[in-house]
Amino acid sequence: MATNRDSTAGLASRLFTGHPQALGMTWTSHGLGAARIAGELIGAGCACLIHAIVPGWFTETAGRTVVRLHDHMQQRKAGAAKPGDWPDYEI
């Protein structure tokens, strides 16, 4: 019979290490990569908001950011130990 401690450990594994390990990454490397992508997306979002007010500014910033991030994620997937285990869109 599983103890509460076992189920807590299983939950912790699923929440914190299961996904990174499935991708062949550590919790730290996955977290740093996700934080970097988040920062770039936040920057692109801010550029979009400014562009909404002043259409002549940041005319290509968000689009270039999305394309660059997509290429980055596809390269990470292709270079992974098990690329078939990676989802089409991952962070």
Side-chain angles (χ1 to χ4, degrees):
M1 181 173 189
T3 65
N4 189 29
R5 185 178 200 170
D6 292 337
S7 63
T8 301
L11 176 62
S13 175
R14 281 195 316 273
L15 290 176
F16 295 102
T17 59
H19 171 65
Q21 286 176 349
L23 301 177
M25 303 171 79
T26 65
W27 178 85
T28 303
S29 65
H30 182 273
L32 291 172
R36 178 183 156 254
I37 290 170
E40 290 196 47
L41 289 172
I42 290 168
C46 290
C48 279
L49 289 172
I50 293 168
H51 175 74
I53 297 166
V54 183
W57 289 354
F58 304 110
T59 59
E60 298 178 6
T61 303
R64 282 195 318 255
T65 300
V66 169
V67 168
R68 186 177 64 251
L69 288 175
H70 179 265
D71 290 345
H72 169 73
M73 289 186 273
Q74 293 303 310
Q75 288 172 357
R76 283 177 50 195
K77 179 179 179 177
K82 298 178 183 177
D85 290 348
W86 283 45
D88 288 337
Y89 297 96
E90 57 75 31
I91 295 181

